[in-house]
Amino acid sequence: MERALVVVEDSENSRAMVHEAGKFASCEEAELVLYAEATQSDVSEATTVASSAGEGDIPGPASRDAIDSIYRFLEGVAEEQFHGLEVQYETTCSIVPENRHSGSVIRTAENNSCDHLFVVGEQRSPTGKAVFGDFVQSLLLNFDGRVTVELD
């Protein structure tokens, strides 16, 4: 592993995965890219909240505010989980459609020259995977590199 993408969410399992990825990267002298997503509805909600708070309509700045918020979240997670570790990392994020899709994760990994993914996934029955699809399964099948999964 030279460079890995870590998909970060606001959950204890995700934070634990970030810590484990940090330990692994520290030992391997590899770099990490911490990645988080916001949905378009999250950005719309931020605009609505800002408008109702008397800040006026902020179509452009709302998405910048959402992205800034994601970067602050990622930096906070890194500070907390990499404490005492020597980890080289950078952060990145995306605004994505409503449903979680593996395509944005894979594109981000490829754009950042990552050869490894760290992700937290949901444990689903075969019927659930058939009906709803499975984010992790899609990553495993479509990413051209190693994938480390922690089940939620």
Side-chain angles (χ1 to χ4, degrees):
M1 177 179 93
E2 292 181 28
R3 191 167 168 90
L5 184 80
V6 184
V7 180
V8 183
E9 299 172 353
D10 192 12
S11 74
E12 287 304 314
N13 281 353
S14 182
R15 290 172 189 273
M17 175 65 83
V18 171
H19 184 74
E20 291 304 314
K23 289 193 315 189
F24 192 68
S26 181
C27 291
E28 295 290 319
E29 296 182 6
E31 296 177 6
L32 296 179
V33 177
L34 302 183
Y35 172 71
E37 298 175 334
T39 65
Q40 291 169 346
S41 66
D42 292 337
V43 173
S44 295
E45 288 173 20
T47 303
T48 303
V49 169
S51 295
S52 65
E55 297 178 21
D57 291 335
I58 8 178
S63 55
R64 281 194 300 275
D65 288 347
I67 289 171
D68 288 345
S69 176
I70 294 169
Y71 279 114
R72 284 191 304 274
F73 165 71
L74 289 171
E75 287 296 334
V77 169
E79 185 177 313
E80 174 186 298
Q81 298 304 320
F82 297 157
H83 182 73
L85 299 173
E86 290 188 31
V87 180
Q88 291 184 355
Y89 73 92
E90 46 187 79
T91 58
T92 190
C93 66
S94 297
I95 307 282
V96 297
E98 301 312 304
N99 296 331
R100 189 175 189 198
H101 294 287
S102 62
S104 60
V105 173
I106 292 171
R107 257 188 318 280
T108 302
E110 289 171 350
N111 291 342
N112 286 279
S113 303
C114 295
D115 58 358
H116 196 124
L117 294 177
F118 288 88
V119 64
V120 173
E122 296 175 18
Q123 197 162 8
R124 286 196 171 154
S125 68
T127 304
K129 287 179 188 175
V131 173
F132 301 110
D134 188 49
F135 172 73
V136 172
Q137 182 178 15
S138 181
L139 289 175
L140 291 167
L141 294 173
N142 296 308
F143 180 66
D144 190 27
R146 294 181 183 256
V147 180
T148 301
V149 180
E150 173 73 29
L151 292 177
D152 211 5

